[in-house]
Amino acid sequence: MPKAITIEDIRVILTQPGKSRLCIVKIITSEPGLYGLGCATFTQRIFAVATAIERHLKPFLLGRDVERIEEIWRMSMVHGYWRNGPVLNNAISGVDQALWDIKGKRAGMPVCDLLGGKLREGAHVYVHADGGSKEEVADNVRAYIEQGFRFIRVQLGGYGGQGSGMVKPKNAPAGAYFDPRDYCRNMLDMIAHVRAEVGAEVELLHDIHERLAPIHAVEFAKDVEGFKLFFLEDALAPEDIDWFRHIRGACATPLAMGELFNNPQEWQLLIQERLIDFIRMHISQMGGITPARNVAIFADLYGVRTAWHGPSDTSPVGHAANLQLDLWHPNFGVQEWYQPSALDYAIFPGLPIVEDGYLYANDQPGLGIEIDEALAAKYPCQDIVEEWTQTRLPDGSPTRP
């Protein structure tokens, strides 16, 4: 019987080539030259994830057989006793993705082939069109259409919009202020304008970003129904998921949810009761490829499609993992795409490319992506306090970002 290939070292690579701080896990094996990469990016708590990997997971996993992905994932999830939190999930995901990368390299196959093989050659992506006015948003949508994109998320003034004439109390603290009612009026006006400008053929999406009270989210979903969105994203916070029953009963606006989910209990109910149309977890937030594979299979039974979270704070390695899942599973819907920079492509050779609105993988085994560690080291993570998540209502009270 051949000798098992084991985990010899686990390294954490932190880098910030853009606005998001990225955490990459590199598993080095006992087989010379064989290693795997995974994404463990929780950009707002990047150093906590790095510490969890280096001080807890690494000592626990050294010497283990790299073939035993399922066992490693399950034992890692319960070894700390408390579980289903974003720091631990991201740490475990980095290991899990790296092990799938290694398995693919050993087999000489892309990960999608290990999962069952391709169902499609490329994955439809959606991109993000913002602007300071509804006219600017429409112009940006037209520019994306000219580039070949057919799925476009439209926002006005960022998440939460730009408040007009907001009156704050005296001595109101600093923060990212927004007015929920002003947001509803402005966004509906913007979406109506963009739809009228670009026609019915373009698939428009919009992200509430969980910023509305549940009853107002129900109202907004009803009001936007006539504009035929491809989906309305994150209408509710995880704490309010029972309200999806009210939205579903009130209108036929397609719903997408899940980027903040950590615990399987958060997504199981929504899928089983068909309360949403798209499930869109952050792959590292939920724990990696292993749980994402299981959710995709489960969701397919209920006709719920996937639209994995894919902003700039999913690392290029995470985007490569998203794409391997997209190419394989039958209930794929659309993939969020963040428009990588030239620097991203330089640091991460093999990062997927977009042509005519489709995301394509290369033919390399595993996740098909590498990292230039020397170049990555030139862009260290900044030690900052996030500002955009310090969100406040007009009276100054904190609210969800």
Side-chain angles (χ1 to χ4, degrees), residues 70 74 100 111-112 114-117 119-120 267-268 271-272 274 279 281 283 286 288-308 324-326 328-333:
E70 190 76 32
R74 290 176 180 272
W100 278 99
V111 167
C112 64
L114 299 178
L115 295 170
L119 268 169
R120 57 193 59 83
W267 59 76
Q268 286 177 5
I271 292 172
Q272 282 181 304
R274 297 180 173 90
I279 196 76
M281 274 82 84
I283 297 298
M286 67 187 299
I289 292 173
T290 295
R293 171 202 59 189
N294 295 341
V295 168
I297 293 170
F298 177 62
D300 187 38
L301 298 175
Y302 296 92
V304 175
R305 291 186 280 175
T306 62
W308 305 120
Q324 292 298 318
L325 290 161
D326 297 338
W328 151 67
H329 55 80
N331 56 319
F332 167 72

Side-chain angles (χ1 to χ4, degrees), residues 63-320:
R64 293 181 182 266
D65 187 344
V66 299
E67 287 293 296
R68 303 177 73 118
I69 296 176
E70 190 76 32
E71 178 184 307
I72 287 173
W73 187 87
R74 290 176 180 272
M75 192 59 73
S76 296
M77 189 60 72
V78 300
H79 182 245
Y81 184 55
W82 279 278
R83 52 194 177 272
N84 292 317
V87 171
L88 179 61
N89 280 10
N90 275 278
I92 291 172
S93 172
V95 170
D96 183 75
Q97 292 182 33
L99 291 174
W100 278 99
D101 191 28
I102 290 168
K103 187 177 284 287
K105 289 174 178 176
R106 292 193 68 198
M109 297 178 178
V111 167
C112 64
D113 284 350
L114 299 178
L115 295 170
K118 286 183 181 179
L119 268 169
R120 57 193 59 83
E121 294 301 316
H124 264 306
V125 296
Y126 73 86
V127 288
H128 182 93
D130 207 325
S133 68
K134 62 185 180 182
E135 292 81 10
E136 184 180 0
V137 176
D139 288 342
N140 291 335
V141 169
R142 278 190 287 264
Y144 277 132
I145 294 170
E146 291 175 2
Q147 297 173 44
F149 292 104
R150 293 170 294 283
F151 297 76
I152 303 169
R153 184 171 64 193
V154 290
Q155 308 291 140
L156 176 62
Y159 299 120
Q162 297 171 328
S164 58
M166 191 182 302
V167 179
K168 304 175 187 176
K170 294 179 180 179
N171 303 316
Y177 280 78
F178 89 106
D179 184 334
R181 302 306 287 157
D182 197 47
Y183 162 86
C184 290
R185 291 187 293 270
N186 291 339
M187 294 303 149
L188 290 168
D189 182 52
M190 178 271 294
I191 294 169
H193 176 77
V194 173
R195 178 58 83 198
E197 288 288 309
V198 303
E201 291 75 21
V202 178
E203 297 289 1
L204 299 181
L205 305 81
H206 179 70
D207 186 1
I208 291 179
H209 220 259
E210 59 163 340
R211 289 184 177 232
L212 297 179
I215 190 61
H216 293 147
V218 176
E219 180 184 41
F220 188 91
K222 288 178 62 178
D223 289 343
V224 83
E225 183 177 15
F227 303 123
K228 305 295 182 184
L229 294 182
F230 186 73
F231 64 59
L232 181 63
E233 183 177 332
D234 287 355
L236 298 165
E239 297 86 351
D240 296 322
I241 57 176
D242 285 349
W243 276 82
F244 274 109
R245 293 188 181 95
H246 298 283
I247 298 180
R248 184 61 98 202
C251 66
T253 298
L255 303 171
M257 182 65 187
E259 71 186 57
L260 288 177
F261 286 170
N262 297 293
N263 189 320
Q265 293 301 315
E266 292 171 314
W267 59 76
Q268 286 177 5
L269 173 70
L270 296 181
I271 292 172
Q272 282 181 304
E273 295 193 15
R274 297 180 173 90
L275 298 177
I276 58 172
D277 304 279
F278 297 86
I279 196 76
R280 56 180 325 278
M281 274 82 84
H282 189 97
I283 297 298
S284 61
Q285 181 87 349
M286 67 187 299
I289 292 173
T290 295
R293 171 202 59 189
N294 295 341
V295 168
I297 293 170
F298 177 62
D300 187 38
L301 298 175
Y302 296 92
V304 175
R305 291 186 280 175
T306 62
W308 305 120
H309 194 224
S312 63
D313 52 350
T314 294
S315 77
V317 175
H319 282 281

